[in-house]
Amino acid sequence: MGFFITFEGIEGCGKTTQLRLLKERLEAAAEKVTVTREPGGCPVADQMRAILLDAKNSAITPLAELLLYAAARAQHVQEVIVPALERGETVLCDRFTDATVAYQGHGRGLDLTVIEELNTLATGRVQPALTVLIDCPVEVGLSRALARIEATSGAKEERFERESLLFHQKVRNGYLTLAAAFPERFVVVDGSGDVQQTGLLVEEALRQRMQSLGKAGLAAVKAGC
Ligand SMILES: Nc1ncnc2c1ncn2[C@@H]1O[C@H](COP(=O)(O)OP(=O)(O)OP(=O)(O)O)[C@@H](O)[C@H]1O
Ligand SMILES: [Mg+2]
């Protein structure tokens, strides 16, 4: 089985940027890598993504939102993640189950036990071996995310960026609570520095964690071999 790594954190913390950098490093070391993201990751789930992230859809209820995330995840896990892991590839996924706990649970206040049950149902218990939480103040993340939206005219995926600062603070705290609850799965990296600084922190954290997990190939990549 391949190795499953997820990237998590608030809007604009640098998940997509750091995931791409890691993909390049792994491929340079001849690792087979599948890069994917949630919500979405395959055609059916991408249609659900369009509904979930469209700022015009402010009428979606918290429960409908939660169920749509679960539906998209069920499709994505079966169609993309499990087959890639079975092929022995390293899977890098941009957001996964922890995002639902942080956003719909801590952010929206939905029942955490229900969310956990839905996550288990949707994933069939497929869990990341490692989760990189890129943490930064919400003002930092949101200003980056909003600048990106303004730079990409016609961007429609901004429903969450338009939420209040308080909402994003709850999400950030939710992520930090998760990391504290599952220290063996999470690595927390400070994302408030520049891209290169954060990249070095991600590499160092992964190198240490991979060695303790016995994943020699990835550990060598992180050591710069
Ligand atoms: N460390 C950094 N310092 C400054 N700008 C950054 C940094 N990391 C990423 N950026 C820029 O900030 C914007 C958001 O970064 P990125 O898309 O990687 O964040 P994200 O966590 O994936 O956001 P989202 O949750 O909205 O998908 C991008 O325009 C990116 O180029
Ligand atoms: Mg992103």
Coordinates of all heavy atoms in Angstrom, one line a residue, residues 163-223:
E163 N -16.6 34.3 4.7 CA -17.1 34.1 6.1 C -16.4 35.1 7.0 O -15.3 35.6 6.7 CB -16.8 32.7 6.6 CG -17.7 31.6 6.0 CD -19.1 31.5 6.6 OE1 -19.3 32.2 7.6 OE2 -19.9 30.8 6.0
S164 N -16.9 35.2 8.3 CA -16.3 36.2 9.2 C -15.0 35.8 9.8 O -14.6 34.6 9.7 CB -17.3 36.4 10.4 OG -17.3 35.2 11.1
L165 N -14.2 36.7 10.3 CA -13.0 36.4 11.0 C -13.2 35.4 12.1 O -12.4 34.5 12.3 CB -12.3 37.7 11.5 CG -11.4 38.5 10.6 CD1 -10.7 39.6 11.4 CD2 -10.3 37.6 10.0
L166 N -14.3 35.6 12.8 CA -14.6 34.8 14.0 C -14.7 33.3 13.5 O -14.2 32.4 14.2 CB -15.9 35.3 14.7 CG -16.3 34.4 15.9 CD1 -15.3 34.4 17.0 CD2 -17.7 34.8 16.4
F167 N -15.4 33.1 12.4 CA -15.6 31.8 11.9 C -14.2 31.2 11.6 O -14.0 30.0 12.0 CB -16.4 31.8 10.6 CG -16.5 30.5 9.9 CD1 -17.5 29.6 10.2 CD2 -15.7 30.2 8.8 CE1 -17.6 28.3 9.6 CE2 -15.8 29.0 8.1 CZ -16.7 28.0 8.6
H168 N -13.4 31.9 11.0 CA -12.1 31.3 10.6 C -11.2 31.1 11.9 O -10.4 30.2 11.9 CB -11.3 32.3 9.6 CG -12.0 32.2 8.3 ND1 -11.9 31.2 7.4 CD2 -12.8 33.1 7.7 CE1 -12.6 31.4 6.3 NE2 -13.2 32.6 6.4
Q169 N -11.4 31.9 12.9 CA -10.7 31.7 14.1 C -11.2 30.4 14.8 O -10.4 29.6 15.3 CB -10.9 32.8 15.1 CG -9.8 33.8 15.0 CD -10.2 35.2 15.3 OE1 -11.3 35.5 15.7 NE2 -9.3 36.2 15.1
K170 N -12.5 30.1 14.7 CA -13.0 28.8 15.2 C -12.4 27.7 14.4 O -12.1 26.6 15.0 CB -14.5 28.8 15.1 CG -15.2 29.7 16.1 CD -16.7 29.4 16.0 CE -17.5 30.5 16.6 NZ -18.9 30.5 16.2
V171 N -12.3 27.8 13.1 CA -11.7 26.8 12.3 C -10.3 26.5 12.7 O -9.8 25.4 12.8 CB -11.9 27.1 10.8 CG1 -11.1 26.1 9.9 CG2 -13.3 27.2 10.4
R172 N -9.5 27.6 12.8 CA -8.1 27.4 13.2 C -8.0 26.7 14.5 O -7.2 25.8 14.7 CB -7.4 28.8 13.3 CG -6.0 28.7 13.6 CD -5.3 30.1 13.9 NE -3.9 29.9 14.1 CZ -3.1 30.9 14.7 NH1 -3.7 32.0 15.0 NH2 -1.9 30.6 14.8
N173 N -8.8 27.2 15.5 CA -8.7 26.5 16.8 C -9.2 25.0 16.7 O -8.6 24.2 17.4 CB -9.7 27.2 17.8 CG -9.1 28.6 18.2 OD1 -7.9 28.8 18.0 ND2 -10.0 29.5 18.6
G174 N -10.1 24.8 15.8 CA -10.5 23.4 15.6 C -9.4 22.5 15.1 O -9.2 21.4 15.6
Y175 N -8.7 23.0 14.1 CA -7.5 22.3 13.6 C -6.5 22.1 14.7 O -5.9 21.0 14.8 CB -6.9 23.1 12.5 CG -7.4 22.8 11.1 CD1 -7.9 23.9 10.3 CD2 -7.5 21.5 10.6 CE1 -8.4 23.6 9.0 CE2 -8.0 21.3 9.3 CZ -8.4 22.3 8.5 OH -8.9 22.1 7.3
L176 N -6.2 23.1 15.5 CA -5.2 22.9 16.6 C -5.6 21.9 17.6 O -4.8 21.2 18.1 CB -4.9 24.3 17.2 CG -4.1 25.3 16.2 CD1 -4.0 26.7 16.8 CD2 -2.7 24.7 15.9
T177 N -7.0 21.9 17.9 CA -7.5 20.9 18.8 C -7.3 19.5 18.3 O -6.9 18.6 19.0 CB -9.0 21.2 19.0 OG1 -9.1 22.5 19.5 CG2 -9.6 20.2 20.1
L178 N -7.6 19.3 17.0 CA -7.4 18.0 16.3 C -5.9 17.6 16.4 O -5.6 16.4 16.7 CB -7.8 18.1 14.8 CG -9.2 17.9 14.5 CD1 -9.5 18.3 13.1 CD2 -9.6 16.4 14.7
A179 N -5.0 18.5 16.1 CA -3.6 18.2 16.1 C -3.1 17.8 17.5 O -2.3 16.8 17.7 CB -2.7 19.4 15.7
A180 N -3.7 18.4 18.5 CA -3.4 18.0 19.9 C -3.9 16.7 20.3 O -3.3 15.9 21.0 CB -3.9 19.1 20.9
A181 N -5.1 16.4 19.7 CA -5.8 15.1 20.0 C -5.1 13.9 19.3 O -5.2 12.8 19.8 CB -7.2 15.2 19.7
F182 N -4.5 14.2 18.2 CA -3.9 13.1 17.4 C -2.4 13.4 17.0 O -2.1 13.5 15.9 CB -4.7 12.8 16.1 CG -6.1 12.5 16.3 CD1 -7.1 13.4 16.1 CD2 -6.5 11.2 16.8 CE1 -8.5 13.1 16.4 CE2 -7.8 10.9 17.0 CZ -8.8 11.8 16.8
P183 N -1.6 13.5 18.1 CA -0.2 14.0 17.8 C 0.6 13.0 17.0 O 1.6 13.4 16.3 CB 0.4 14.1 19.2 CG -0.5 13.2 20.1 CD -1.9 13.2 19.5
E184 N 0.2 11.7 17.0 CA 1.0 10.7 16.2 C 0.7 10.9 14.7 O 1.5 10.5 13.9 CB 0.7 9.3 16.7 CG -0.7 8.7 16.5 CD -1.8 9.4 17.2 OE1 -1.6 10.1 18.3 OE2 -2.9 9.3 16.8
R185 N -0.4 11.5 14.4 CA -0.8 11.6 12.9 C -0.4 13.0 12.4 O -0.1 13.2 11.2 CB -2.3 11.3 12.7 CG -2.7 11.6 11.3 CD -4.1 10.9 11.0 NE -5.2 11.5 11.7 CZ -5.9 12.5 11.3 NH1 -5.5 13.2 10.2 NH2 -6.9 13.0 12.0
F186 N -0.5 14.0 13.2 CA -0.3 15.4 12.8 C 1.1 15.9 12.9 O 1.8 15.6 13.9 CB -1.2 16.4 13.6 CG -2.6 16.5 13.1 CD1 -3.6 15.6 13.5 CD2 -2.9 17.6 12.3 CE1 -4.9 15.8 13.1 CE2 -4.2 17.7 11.9 CZ -5.2 16.8 12.2
V187 N 1.5 16.7 12.0 CA 2.7 17.6 12.2 C 2.2 19.0 12.0 O 1.4 19.3 11.0 CB 3.9 17.4 11.3 CG1 4.6 16.1 11.7 CG2 3.5 17.3 9.8
V188 N 2.5 19.9 12.9 CA 2.0 21.3 12.8 C 3.2 22.2 12.4 O 4.3 22.1 13.0 CB 1.4 21.8 14.1 CG1 0.9 23.2 13.9 CG2 0.4 20.9 14.6
V189 N 3.0 22.9 11.3 CA 4.1 23.7 10.7 C 3.6 25.2 10.7 O 2.5 25.5 10.3 CB 4.4 23.3 9.3 CG1 5.2 24.2 8.5 CG2 5.0 21.9 9.3
D190 N 4.5 26.1 11.1 CA 4.2 27.5 11.1 C 4.2 28.0 9.7 O 5.2 28.0 9.0 CB 5.2 28.3 11.9 CG 5.0 29.8 11.9 OD1 3.9 30.2 11.4 OD2 5.9 30.5 12.3
G191 N 3.0 28.5 9.2 CA 2.9 28.9 7.8 C 2.9 30.4 7.7 O 2.6 31.0 6.6
S192 N 3.4 31.2 8.7 CA 3.3 32.6 8.6 C 4.6 33.2 7.9 O 4.5 34.4 7.5 CB 3.1 33.3 9.9 OG 3.9 32.7 10.9
G193 N 5.6 32.4 7.7 CA 6.8 32.9 7.0 C 6.6 32.9 5.5 O 5.5 32.6 5.0
D194 N 7.6 33.1 4.7 CA 7.5 33.1 3.2 C 7.4 31.6 2.7 O 7.6 30.7 3.5 CB 8.5 33.9 2.5 CG 9.9 33.4 2.7 OD1 10.1 32.2 2.9 OD2 10.9 34.2 2.6
V195 N 7.2 31.5 1.4 CA 7.0 30.1 0.9 C 8.2 29.2 1.1 O 8.1 28.1 1.5 CB 6.7 30.2 -0.7 CG1 6.7 28.8 -1.3 CG2 5.4 30.9 -0.9
Q196 N 9.4 29.8 1.0 CA 10.6 29.0 1.2 C 10.8 28.6 2.6 O 11.1 27.4 2.9 CB 11.8 29.8 0.7 CG 13.0 28.9 0.4 CD 14.3 29.7 0.2 OE1 14.3 30.9 0.3 NE2 15.4 29.0 0.1
Q197 N 10.6 29.6 3.5 CA 10.7 29.2 4.9 C 9.7 28.1 5.4 O 10.1 27.2 6.0 CB 10.4 30.5 5.8 CG 11.5 31.5 5.8 CD 11.0 32.8 6.4 OE1 9.9 33.2 6.4 NE2 12.0 33.6 7.0
T198 N 8.5 28.3 4.9 CA 7.5 27.3 5.2 C 7.9 25.9 4.6 O 7.7 24.9 5.3 CB 6.1 27.7 4.8 OG1 5.9 29.0 5.3 CG2 5.0 26.8 5.3
G199 N 8.4 26.0 3.4 CA 8.8 24.7 2.7 C 9.9 24.0 3.5 O 9.8 22.8 3.7
L200 N 10.8 24.7 4.0 CA 11.9 24.1 4.8 C 11.3 23.5 6.1 O 11.7 22.4 6.5 CB 13.0 25.1 5.2 CG 13.8 25.6 4.0 CD1 14.8 26.7 4.5 CD2 14.7 24.4 3.5
L201 N 10.4 24.2 6.7 CA 9.7 23.6 7.9 C 9.0 22.3 7.6 O 9.0 21.4 8.3 CB 8.8 24.6 8.6 CG 9.5 25.9 9.2 CD1 8.4 26.9 9.7 CD2 10.4 25.5 10.3
V202 N 8.3 22.3 6.4 CA 7.5 21.1 6.0 C 8.5 20.0 5.8 O 8.3 18.8 6.3 CB 6.7 21.4 4.8 CG1 6.1 20.1 4.2 CG2 5.6 22.4 5.0
E203 N 9.6 20.2 5.1 CA 10.6 19.2 4.8 C 11.1 18.6 6.1 O 11.2 17.4 6.3 CB 11.7 19.8 4.0 CG 11.4 19.9 2.6 CD 12.5 20.6 1.8 OE1 13.7 20.5 2.3 OE2 12.2 21.3 0.8
E204 N 11.5 19.5 7.0 CA 12.1 19.0 8.3 C 11.1 18.2 9.1 O 11.5 17.1 9.6 CB 12.6 20.2 9.1 CG 13.3 19.9 10.4 CD 14.4 18.9 10.3 OE1 15.0 18.8 9.2 OE2 14.7 18.2 11.3
A205 N 9.9 18.7 9.1 CA 8.9 17.9 9.9 C 8.6 16.6 9.3 O 8.6 15.6 10.0 CB 7.6 18.8 10.0
L206 N 8.6 16.5 8.0 CA 8.3 15.3 7.3 C 9.5 14.3 7.4 O 9.3 13.1 7.7 CB 8.0 15.5 5.8 CG 6.6 16.1 5.5 CD1 6.5 16.2 4.0 CD2 5.5 15.2 6.1
R207 N 10.7 14.8 7.3 CA 11.8 14.0 7.4 C 11.9 13.3 8.8 O 12.0 12.1 8.8 CB 13.1 14.8 7.2 CG 14.4 14.0 7.1 CD 15.6 14.8 6.9 NE 15.8 15.7 8.1 CZ 16.3 15.4 9.3 NH1 16.6 14.1 9.5 NH2 16.4 16.2 10.2
Q208 N 11.6 14.1 9.8 CA 11.6 13.5 11.2 C 10.5 12.4 11.3 O 10.7 11.3 11.8 CB 11.4 14.5 12.2 CG 12.6 15.4 12.4 CD 12.4 16.4 13.5 OE1 11.4 16.4 14.2 NE2 13.4 17.3 13.6
R209 N 9.3 12.8 10.8 CA 8.2 11.9 11.0 C 8.3 10.6 10.2 O 8.0 9.5 10.6 CB 6.9 12.7 10.6 CG 5.7 12.1 11.2 CD 5.8 11.8 12.7 NE 5.7 13.0 13.5 CZ 4.5 13.5 14.0 NH1 3.4 12.8 13.7 NH2 4.5 14.6 14.7
M210 N 8.8 10.8 8.9 CA 9.0 9.6 8.1 C 10.0 8.6 8.7 O 9.8 7.4 8.6 CB 9.5 10.0 6.7 CG 8.6 10.8 5.9 SD 7.1 9.9 5.6 CE 6.1 11.1 4.9
Q211 N 11.0 9.1 9.3 CA 12.0 8.2 9.9 C 11.3 7.4 11.0 O 11.5 6.2 11.1 CB 13.2 9.0 10.4 CG 14.2 9.2 9.3 CD 15.3 10.2 9.7 OE1 15.2 10.8 10.7 NE2 16.3 10.3 8.8
S212 N 10.5 8.1 11.8 CA 9.9 7.3 12.9 C 8.8 6.4 12.3 O 8.5 5.4 13.0 CB 9.3 8.3 13.9 OG 8.3 9.0 13.4
L213 N 8.2 6.7 11.1 CA 7.3 5.8 10.6 C 7.9 4.7 9.7 O 7.2 3.8 9.2 CB 6.3 6.6 9.7 CG 5.2 7.4 10.4 CD1 4.6 8.4 9.4 CD2 4.2 6.5 11.1
G214 N 9.2 4.8 9.5 CA 9.9 3.7 8.8 C 9.8 3.9 7.3 O 9.9 2.9 6.5
K215 N 9.4 5.0 6.8 CA 9.3 5.2 5.3 C 10.6 5.8 4.8 O 10.8 7.0 4.7 CB 8.1 6.2 5.1 CG 7.8 6.4 3.6 CD 7.1 5.2 2.9 CE 6.8 5.6 1.5 NZ 6.5 4.5 0.6
A216 N 11.5 4.9 4.5 CA 12.9 5.3 4.2 C 12.9 6.1 2.9 O 13.7 7.1 2.9 CB 13.7 4.0 4.0
G217 N 12.2 5.8 1.9 CA 12.3 6.5 0.6 C 11.9 8.0 0.8 O 12.7 8.9 0.4
L218 N 10.8 8.2 1.4 CA 10.4 9.6 1.7 C 11.4 10.3 2.6 O 11.7 11.5 2.4 CB 9.0 9.6 2.3 CG 7.9 9.3 1.3 CD1 6.6 9.1 2.0 CD2 7.8 10.4 0.2
A219 N 11.9 9.6 3.6 CA 12.8 10.2 4.5 C 14.1 10.6 3.8 O 14.6 11.7 4.0 CB 13.2 9.2 5.6
A220 N 14.5 9.8 2.8 CA 15.7 10.2 2.0 C 15.4 11.5 1.2 O 16.3 12.4 1.1 CB 16.1 9.1 1.1
V221 N 14.2 11.6 0.7 CA 13.9 12.8 -0.1 C 14.0 14.0 0.8 O 14.5 15.0 0.5 CB 12.4 12.7 -0.6 CG1 12.0 14.0 -1.2 CG2 12.3 11.6 -1.6
K222 N 13.4 13.8 2.0 CA 13.4 15.0 2.9 C 14.8 15.3 3.4 O 15.1 16.5 3.7 CB 12.5 14.6 4.1 CG 11.1 14.4 3.7 CD 10.4 15.6 3.1 CE 10.2 15.5 1.6 NZ 10.6 16.6 0.9
A223 N 15.7 14.3 3.4 CA 17.1 14.6 3.8 C 17.8 15.3 2.6 O 19.0 15.7 2.8 CB 17.7 13.3 4.2

